[in-house]
Amino acid sequence: MQFEEGTTLDRFLMESLRDHPEASGQFVNLLNQVTLAGKLVAARVNRAGLAGMFGATGQMNIQGEYVQKMDIYANETFKRALEHAGVVCMIVSEEEDAPIGIPAPFVPGHYVFCMDPLDGSSNIDTNASIGTIFCAFRRKSDPSGPPTAEDALRSGREIVLAGYIVYGAGTVLVLSTGKGVHGFTLDPTVGEFFLSHPDIRLEPSTKSYSCNEAYSAQWDPRLRAWLEARKEPSLGWSSRYIGSLVGDFHRNLVKGGIFLYPPSQKAKAGKLRLLYEGFPLAFLVEAAGGAASDGQQAILDKVPKSLHERSPLYIGNRDEVASITEALRGD
Ligand code: P6P
């Protein structure tokens, strides 16, 4: 199905769901609640400096990271939008140690929602792009009882929706239900997302890499050799790294690029979380013709053993992911 730029998100969803007469209204409602929360967070991010929302709260989350004021705001905004709508039975958040159930009198819905409510938030004081990353599964447990951990600890291949909202020069929602990847830009004057990046596709290869090279002395030597080989001037590679996963990933999705976050002494299993960072971005990148690996297997083939499990992440154009996985084969 072809959509011209300027299509609203609502119309895009209505048209896309025509192929799914079995789809309940909950799917559209879920996305509507996500976009509502995204608009609220975007408005606050854009005024953070004026609204006293810069800086840390002094608290530390389960990840051992200092919680920024905006982390709390984003987490509460997405939770409130989702809890009340009868579309989710469980929310897993980077900011919450345990899964969040749906409090009475609200009614649980069909979906399990996993999110990093504001990734890269420590960059907000420098006005760098930050973002919300999410994915959703259909509930697996018996709806007559409470949701279980197994509703969230499952293969990435069971994801039914994934996306992110990048709060940068503009606010862009990128999402996929598995068939194609589409970007919508928020027009804040009317409060509507309009299709701006129809059917994003990645070329097979790239000459741009994103990583924090300060840690390269701690990497597997085969990975260091892989990167050094690409610095041969005649090859014409470049390096781009913001230090905000959503900002780095969005640039690589739109322009091509390979993002690497390998294990290091400080992060022996890698720094990034599988369930609400690796999974959503891997779902998107595969739907756009790219690939995502942990160095041994496809990210989406993994099954997390715990909610906040970390994983090495190599993600972007498929030839480069294949080349890194080949270099690391036989760990
Ligand atoms: P480093 C932000 O804190 C984050 O979780 C991701 O957004 C980003 O990709 C990564 O950490 C950056 O980590 O070690 O390079 O500062």
Side-chain angles (χ1 to χ4, degrees), residues 73-92:
Y73 177 78
N75 190 47
E76 292 307 314
T77 300
F78 275 89
K79 276 167 52 179
R80 270 200 310 276
L82 291 165
E83 281 171 347
H84 304 175
V87 293
V88 298
C89 63
M90 176 197 280
I91 301 170
V92 174

Side-chain angles (χ1 to χ4, degrees), residues 119-120 122 212 215 241 243-245 259 261 271-273 277:
D119 179 79
S122 55
N212 188 334
Y215 306 149
Y241 190 68
S244 177
L245 177 59
F259 175 94
Y261 208 108
K271 175 180 184 181
L272 301 172
R273 276 59 55 135
E277 290 173 333

Side-chain angles (χ1 to χ4, degrees), residues 220 222-223 226 230 293-297 314 318-331:
D220 182 310
R222 294 169 296 176
L223 193 57
W226 182 92
R230 279 145 187 84
S293 164
D294 68 355
Q296 302 303 315
Q297 65 178 119
Y314 308 102
R318 64 170 185 265
D319 290 356
E320 274 59 51
V321 174
S323 166
I324 288 173
T325 307
E326 185 53 35
L328 293 174
R329 194 168 301 287
D331 250 5

Side-chain angles (χ1 to χ4, degrees), residues 4-315:
E4 68 275 5
E5 294 205 9
T7 301
T8 62
L9 175 60
D10 289 351
R11 177 162 159 247
F12 174 85
L13 287 176
M14 288 303 135
E15 304 268 345
S16 305
L17 288 177
R18 254 194 218 154
D19 304 340
H20 298 277
E22 79 287 355
S24 72
Q26 286 200 26
F27 191 80
V28 174
N29 288 343
L30 170 61
L31 260 172
N32 285 335
Q33 295 308 109
V34 168
T35 53
L36 168 63
K39 293 173 191 173
L40 291 167
V41 172
R44 185 65 65 96
V45 163
N46 294 339
R47 295 174 41 249
L50 303 173
M53 293 299 282
F54 277 166
T57 59
Q59 299 164 0
M60 192 169 272
N61 64 15
I62 188 174
Q63 324 290 343
E65 294 166 345
Y66 282 107
V67 178
Q68 305 295 317
K69 292 175 189 171
M70 278 303 304
D71 284 327
I72 297 290
Y73 177 78
N75 190 47
E76 292 307 314
T77 300
F78 275 89
K79 276 167 52 179
R80 270 200 310 276
L82 291 165
E83 281 171 347
H84 304 175
V87 293
V88 298
C89 63
M90 176 197 280
I91 301 170
V92 174
S93 169
E94 185 206 42
E95 297 302 332
E96 305 278 349
D97 299 358
I100 303 148
I102 302 307
F106 304 117
V107 176
H110 297 327
Y111 297 96
V112 176
F113 190 82
C114 304
M115 67 174 176
D116 181 351
L118 200 58
D119 179 79
S121 53
S122 55
N123 295 291
I124 192 167
D125 299 12
T126 64
N127 210 33
S129 293
I130 55 180
T132 302
I133 311 172
F134 61 89
C135 66
F137 300 91
R138 278 192 71 91
R139 176 176 192 167
K140 207 153 76 168
S141 58
D142 179 349
S144 62
T148 65
E150 281 60 44
D151 280 312
L153 302 179
R154 49 211 281 202
S155 166
R157 299 293 173 193
E158 298 180 42
I159 291 172
V160 293
L161 164 70
Y164 59 84
I165 303 171
V166 53
Y167 311 104
T171 298
V172 179
L173 163 69
V174 174
L175 63 84
S176 176
T177 58
K179 285 201 300 274
V181 180
H182 309 279
F184 300 82
T185 297
L186 177 66
D187 179 340
T189 59
V190 295
E192 184 63 73
F193 280 101
F194 291 92
L195 184 64
S196 51
H197 302 71
D199 198 19
I200 300 172
R201 299 292 300 167
L202 275 172
E203 296 296 322
S205 62
T206 181
K207 289 188 183 291
S208 175
Y209 68 81
S210 310
C211 63
N212 188 334
E213 287 201 58
Y215 306 149
S216 60
Q218 305 171 40
W219 293 354
D220 182 310
R222 294 169 296 176
L223 193 57
R224 213 168 31 247
W226 182 92
L227 189 60
E228 288 312 307
R230 279 145 187 84
K231 294 180 179 176
E232 162 51 43
S234 62
L235 296 177
W237 277 70
S238 70
S239 166
R240 292 285 182 277
Y241 190 68
I242 300 174
S244 177
L245 177 59
V246 175
D248 282 313
F249 180 82
H250 185 63
R251 181 199 56 250
N252 291 350
L253 185 68
V254 172
K255 292 179 175 277
I258 177 76
F259 175 94
L260 305 84
Y261 208 108
S264 64
Q265 283 162 15
K266 194 169 93 173
K268 298 212 181 320
K271 175 180 184 181
L272 301 172
R273 276 59 55 135
L274 181 59
L275 193 50
Y276 40 79
E277 290 173 333
F279 270 2
L281 300 185
F283 185 85
L284 290 168
V285 87
E286 285 200 6
S293 164
D294 68 355
Q296 302 303 315
Q297 65 178 119
I299 289 288
L300 290 181
D301 289 339
K302 298 182 78 160
V303 179
K305 296 179 184 58
S306 62
L307 294 179
H308 302 291
E309 181 174 308
R310 297 173 190 265
S311 171
L313 182 63
Y314 308 102
I315 187 169

